Amino acid sequence: MLTEFGKIFVFLLVAVIFVIALVIVAWLIRPSRPTKEKLMTYECGENPEGSPWVKFNIRFYVVALIFLIFDVEVVLLIPWALVYRQFGLGGFMVGAIFLIMLGLGMAYEWRKGDLEWERAKIIPPVIKRPVFSSKETREAEPVKSKQLV
Amino acid sequence: MSFLDQQFDDNIIIAKVDDLFNWARLSSLWQVGFGLACCAIEMMATSASHYDFDRFGVIPRPSPRQSDIIIISGTVTLKMALRVKRLYEQMPDPKYVISMGSCSNCGGPYWEHGYHVLKGVDRVIPVDVYVPGCPPRPEALLEGLMKLQEKVRNESVIRKSS
Amino acid sequence: MKTEEEIFNLLKENFNDDIMELVKQPVDHYILCNPLKINEISLFLLSNEELLFDSLMNLSGVDDANGTSTIKEGITTIEGGTLSVYYHLESTKFRHKIILRISTPREKPEAASVALVWRSADWHEREAFDLLGIIFLNHPDLRRILMPYDWDAGYPLRKDYANPEFYHGMKVPY
């Protein structure tokens, strides 16, 4: 007789075999008419420029990591929220400590500037526009016409 | 060489297989999420809850690789026509085209003085169903889709490859 | 707040020959200027403390079609005449408005660019170049903006424009 884990194993086996069988059957019967256009990288109809294997900015890594931490936080907090009444003050304290530690970590990240996204420097415009002060009187900076060309 | 790229003699099994494939195809016509002009607003309205394109199995897909149908909804400019052609080429077979609105049927109001408009998208890609209107109401688009389903229902593996 | 005459006189003092005339119309008067000096005139209009035209509301190109047109076998060709550009300006401080106009010869439509004076002129000038073929000198990036980059059949909004028969193998006329 199968044990409980054995039943789960059968389920897993059926799932894997089912998926593999579907892929093979689809591969056998589907029409396959590849063309050069069809195999081209999809760029919304534009001509693809360069390799699609571009490097992503390393700063996305930090954002992803922070997202992951708070994602896990939600996963851990939902079961805790369901049962914390049964555990009274002790249960509440456990959750609170967890949240405080997370908050401290967040504050640390913020303080270290990991949430900042440094931008490239904006190239200043060639012509100086008239500078309007916040007061009623707006005055123009005199601009020499030689700067134009 | 896969099963559907071959030719078969006409017999009872092939007829039933045809029915099965056609039923599967016409019930899940996934469309390319693709709008060109004001007709696209009507297309979006058709996809929304009131008209509910989804009950026909029409789901907008973000990539032509996963789509069966492209709805050319709006004015096809000459600049866009090259892109439309490539999007169509990048869809997997079998693929269907609905031309929606006067502009993509025949150039619409730009037919004479529109220096930038392709006078009908059928000059670039083969069109299955034309939906007239400027823009067509969502009911008209649903009607066009049902016409396309009728067309798919009568297809055959044998006839298609011959 | 200054009237058109006052602005015209102020401009005339500073750029005597490059400001041609103040053309009076029932609604909008405009000042006719030298197309090659329009950048300096614009900069003066922008930076003069009594004018402060800090907003370029619109910049539009026009084919005046005032040359001699000949129609041969259904194809119109226009020789001579001018292409014009209109500049609609407004000062957000003084609330006065003015319209400038420049006219360039059709055979050599060149005008100075004001894209460095008002940044909003950048794309407007590209559009005027795209559709009418007016060449803006010293424009930072004068490419076609609406038509395809490889469009070689001319400038569509000119009065003697004829559509090409084919574009990339696609038939263009109806």
Side-chain angles (χ1 to χ4, degrees):
Chain A
M1 215 25 217
L2 280 172
T3 60
E4 290 299 310
F5 284 112
K7 287 173 190 166
I8 293 174
F9 178 71
V10 169
F11 268 108
L12 283 176
L13 211 63
V14 168
V16 170
I17 290 172
F18 184 69
V19 169
I20 291 174
L22 269 190
V23 169
I24 289 175
V25 168
W27 177 70
L28 281 176
I29 66 173
R30 72 184 169 210
S32 161
R33 293 158 207 159
T35 58
K36 198 186 162 208
E37 282 273 286
K38 205 183 272 182
L39 297 175
M40 196 184 264
T41 311
Y42 172 58
E43 288 274 5
C44 304
E46 295 290 326
N47 281 328
E49 273 187 29
S51 165
W53 298 96
V54 291
K55 289 175 185 166
F56 284 99
N57 198 320
I58 188 72
R59 279 171 290 200
F60 283 113
Y61 175 73
V62 178
V63 177
L65 214 64
I66 294 170
F67 167 76
L68 197 73
I69 290 166
F70 285 95
D71 218 29
V72 172
E73 178 209 351
V74 171
V75 171
L76 289 177
L77 278 187
I78 284 174
W80 170 77
L82 285 175
V83 297
Y84 92 103
R85 279 194 181 187
Q86 301 166 20
F87 290 88
L89 194 64
F92 175 76
M93 289 306 290
V94 170
I97 289 168
F98 173 62
L99 277 180
I100 287 169
M101 278 169 66
L102 263 184
L104 280 177
M106 183 79 187
Y108 175 74
E109 274 163 2
W110 204 331
R111 183 73 186 81
K112 290 287 277 186
D114 279 342
L115 296 180
E116 299 292 323
W117 190 279
E118 270 183 289
R119 289 184 187 168
K121 276 186 182 173
I122 298 164
I123 301 157
V126 182
I127 295 285
K128 280 185 181 171
R129 303 292 314 274
V131 179
F132 295 133
S133 60
S134 57
K135 294 173 195 168
E136 282 265 312
T137 52
R138 298 163 160 180
E139 288 184 4
E141 265 187 24
V143 184
K144 284 174 188 169
S145 59
K146 277 179 189 172
Q147 281 177 280
L148 186 72
V149 181
Chain B
M1 198 70 173
S2 59
F3 178 70
L4 283 185
D5 282 333
Q6 302 172 43
Q7 298 203 1
F8 304 94
D9 296 328
D10 209 351
N11 61 37
I12 178 74
I13 299 171
I14 290 300
K16 286 296 155 196
V17 167
D18 269 349
D19 284 350
L20 178 68
F21 282 157
N22 291 341
W23 170 74
R25 278 175 187 167
L26 70 87
S27 315
S28 67
L29 289 167
W30 289 3
Q31 63 149 322
V32 187
F34 176 66
L36 285 178
C38 31
C39 284
I41 305 292
E42 295 294 313
M43 188 185 73
M44 287 181 251
T46 319
S47 295
S49 57
H50 193 88
Y51 293 98
D52 198 11
F53 232 179
D54 202 1
R55 65 193 152 134
F56 295 98
V58 180
I59 309 169
R61 302 303 301 174
S63 163
R65 312 256 192 238
Q66 306 166 352
S67 315
D68 309 297
I69 169 177
I70 182 167
I71 299 178
I72 311 292
S73 52
T75 316
V76 185
T77 57
L78 292 168
K79 207 174 179 178
M80 196 67 199
L82 303 171
R83 277 83 175 164
V84 168
K85 183 164 182 289
R86 175 164 294 163
L87 282 183
Y88 175 76
E89 299 275 355
Q90 289 188 338
M91 284 162 61
D93 289 273
K95 48 196 171 187
Y96 306 98
V97 179
I98 291 181
S99 164
M100 180 185 179
S102 297
C103 291
S104 64
N105 288 346
C106 63
Y110 310 101
W111 71 276
E112 191 175 10
H113 298 296
Y115 51 85
H116 60 300
V117 174
L118 187 71
K119 314 295 189 298
V121 77
D122 47 7
R123 294 185 182 190
V124 205
I125 55 178
V127 176
D128 291 296
V129 176
Y130 297 87
V131 181
C134 187
R137 283 195 54 80
E139 291 94 334
L141 184 58
L142 293 178
E143 170 81 21
L145 187 85
M146 272 152 30
K147 288 275 180 233
L148 181 65
Q149 288 186 330
E150 224 167 84
K151 181 176 176 170
V152 176
R153 191 174 283 124
N154 293 320
E155 272 180 354
S156 169
V157 175
I158 310 153
R159 261 178 280 152
K160 197 164 175 66
S161 57
S162 60
Chain C
M1 189 83 184
K2 280 182 180 296
T3 61
E4 275 99 347
E5 280 86 2
E6 288 169 330
I7 295 168
F8 176 72
N9 291 333
L10 194 63
L11 282 175
K12 196 74 182 168
E13 282 171 25
N14 287 277
F15 299 90
N16 44 46
D17 280 348
D18 294 328
I19 306 294
M20 286 153 195
E21 58 174 321
L22 176 66
V23 181
K24 301 231 174 173
Q25 284 181 314
V27 184
D28 288 331
H29 312 318
Y30 61 81
I31 299 174
L32 201 60
C33 307
N34 182 353
L36 297 176
K37 295 285 183 198
I38 186 69
N39 53 352
E40 292 174 21
I41 297 167
S42 301
L43 199 61
F44 176 77
L45 287 170
L46 169 69
S47 54
N48 188 287
E49 286 171 22
E50 293 175 354
L51 298 175
L52 284 183
F53 280 106
D54 56 345
S55 165
L56 175 71
M57 294 193 293
N58 193 13
L59 186 156
S60 44
V62 176
D63 185 356
D64 297 321
N66 48 5
T68 53
S69 67
T70 50
I71 301 173
K72 194 193 283 181
E73 293 168 3
I75 298 165
T76 316
T77 47
I78 301 178
E79 285 180 15
T82 51
L83 301 172
S84 295
V85 182
Y86 289 83
Y87 303 81
H88 292 246
L89 308 174
E90 191 198 5
S91 166
T92 51
K93 182 184 178 190
F94 297 122
R95 300 278 169 201
H96 50 214
K97 296 175 182 175
I98 191 71
I99 303 171
L100 304 181
R101 176 187 169 174
I102 59 171
S103 285
T104 63
R106 191 186 190 82
E107 274 66 43
K108 198 187 173 203
E110 286 181 347
S113 167
V114 297
L116 297 179
V117 184
W118 297 287
R119 295 308 297 269
S120 59
D122 188 342
W123 282 18
H124 285 92
E125 287 184 348
R126 278 179 69 184
E127 189 183 346
F129 164 73
D130 189 359
L131 300 178
L132 286 160
I134 299 163
I135 293 160
F136 292 94
L137 304 170
N138 290 321
H139 188 281
D141 180 25
L142 197 64
R143 284 177 297 148
R144 284 187 180 273
I145 188 169
L146 295 172
M147 301 299 288
Y149 294 133
D150 57 351
W151 186 259
D152 51 5
Y155 304 103
L157 286 196
R158 286 199 183 182
K159 296 290 182 192
D160 57 347
Y161 169 79
N163 245 345
E165 196 67 23
F166 286 98
Y167 171 71
H168 280 274
M170 299 178 284
K171 189 166 168 255
V172 178
Y174 184 74

